Amino acid sequence: MNNEQICNAVKNIVLETAKMIRRERENFSFQKNVEIKGHSNFVTHIDKLSEQALVERLSQLIPESGFIAEEGTSTKKGEIYNWVIDPIDGTTNFIHGLSPHAISIALMQNNKTIIGVVYEIVHDEMFYTWEGGKAYLNGNEIKVSEYSEHQQALIATGFPYSDMVKIDAYIASMREIMEKTSGIRRLGSAAIDLCYVACGRFEAFWEYGLHSWDVAAGAFIVQQAGGKVCDFNNEDKYLLSGEIIATNANYFNIFYEIVHQHLGK
């Protein structure tokens, strides 16, 4: 299979898994179905069921592939191919019956992302791309916005829930961005924040305290849609560092300078 065929197969796997998630959500109970992994860090039995289903189906798609998965369903490492999976990005939203929450899947080939699929379950929005292709939302090509000035920009962020080492610097960056732009939104799903940058709903997104499964697919979709992605020091280490900036191409320089000034080295 080529990259486009693999991407289409992943989309079908994601849609089937989303049906299961919706079905299981009908009888969901916080008291019975939620485990606490840490402060404001939850996992449900549905996260685990979703990940198990994804691992099983993706293993059939590329038998030699390995996995980097949030809930640790598989720890198999592939020599060439590895799937990066978040079975439900935005679990806290999901628990409370809020959107957005999403399935996020990226395929890495020799540490390079070649497939990105993010499916927002409530609104039935499928964002996807593959190496050599364009970025799409439900079959329509998407592009980042063209806005280049602060006063035109709507920004997304995520609040740290466990790593408070940089919290003062983060709040300082948020205050400056709040003062200069048209507003900040916090949706509770990094994967969706990135996809909204990719389709032009946001001009930029920044956050720290993330994991590779939160951002691998969404970051690739931003890049394929014409945007820019980096860490707080303008390097491409965001999958490992846990910190990320994503913007449209025109707005990158002035937005990066604010974040780097407060949160960079």
Side-chain angles (χ1 to χ4, degrees):
M1 289 189 293
N2 61 31
N3 290 338
E4 182 178 1
Q5 290 172 326
I6 295 172
C7 186
N8 287 332
V10 173
K11 287 160 54 185
N12 290 332
I13 291 169
V14 165
L15 288 173
E16 288 299 315
T17 305
K19 290 180 183 178
M20 180 271 292
I21 290 173
R22 293 189 185 101
R23 186 170 60 249
E24 291 290 329
R25 184 65 179 77
E26 292 177 0
N27 298 311
F28 179 81
S29 165
F30 190 101
Q31 288 76 18
K32 294 180 180 179
N33 302 128
V34 176
E35 298 177 22
I36 300 176
K37 296 195 289 186
H39 175 65
S40 298
N41 187 10
F42 305 107
V43 61
T44 73
H45 79 289
I46 306 176
D47 291 80
K48 296 179 179 181
L49 286 174
S50 172
E51 188 171 288
Q52 289 168 0
L54 292 168
V55 167
E56 180 179 348
R57 294 288 302 280
L58 294 171
S59 294
Q60 296 170 359
L61 185 61
I62 303 179
E64 69 273 23
S65 61
F67 294 88
I68 303 168
E70 180 175 13
E71 306 308 333
T73 299
S74 175
T75 57
K76 177 185 175 183
K77 301 301 179 186
E79 291 187 10
I80 298 174
Y81 295 105
N82 285 281
W83 300 99
V84 186
I85 300 175
D86 195 334
I88 303 178
D89 187 63
T91 297
T92 301
N93 284 354
F94 176 75
I95 289 170
H96 291 274
L98 298 174
S99 63
H101 49 267
I103 299 171
S104 177
I105 299 177
L107 177 61
M108 311 289 292
Q109 181 181 28
N110 295 323
N111 298 316
K112 179 183 179 182
T113 310
I114 61 169
I115 304 287
V117 175
V118 175
Y119 180 61
E120 205 291 307
I121 297 170
V122 174
H123 295 102
D124 188 28
E125 290 192 324
M126 180 77 76
F127 299 86
Y128 58 96
T129 190
W130 62 89
E131 186 179 49
K134 298 176 180 179
Y136 297 91
L137 164 56
N138 290 350
N140 298 309
E141 184 181 354
I142 55 174
K143 292 284 188 181
V144 295
S145 74
E146 297 183 354
Y147 293 144
S148 60
E149 303 294 334
H150 284 314
Q151 61 265 30
Q152 300 169 313
L154 183 63
I155 312 300
T157 191
F159 302 150
Y161 58 82
S162 59
D163 181 1
M164 298 297 168
V165 173
K166 297 182 178 180
I167 190 64
D168 291 337
Y170 168 75
I171 291 174
S173 71
M174 184 166 62
R175 175 171 181 167
E176 183 172 352
I177 291 167
M178 192 180 301
E179 291 172 343
K180 291 182 175 180
T181 68
S182 64
I184 296 175
R185 301 292 184 266
R186 195 271 189 175
L187 301 183
S189 166
I192 294 300
D193 289 326
L194 288 162
C195 289
Y196 284 6
V197 172
C199 70
R201 294 174 184 172
F202 292 137
E203 276 59 63
F205 165 67
W206 93 109
E207 187 174 352
Y208 79 92
L210 296 166
H211 301 280
S212 59
W213 49 77
D214 298 314
V215 300
F220 185 51
I221 293 169
V222 170
Q223 292 168 328
Q224 294 286 92
K228 301 192 69 172
V229 182
C230 66
D231 61 19
F232 294 164
N233 296 296
N234 201 13
E235 298 177 347
D236 63 354
K237 300 176 181 178
Y238 50 87
L239 292 182
L240 300 175
S241 67
E243 57 189 46
I244 192 167
I245 296 171
T247 76
N248 73 35
N250 295 338
Y251 187 54
F252 174 78
N253 288 336
I254 58 174
F255 185 79
Y256 168 77
E257 285 303 320
I258 292 176
V259 178
H260 176 72
Q261 173 188 351
H262 293 285
L263 290 160
K265 291 180 180 177

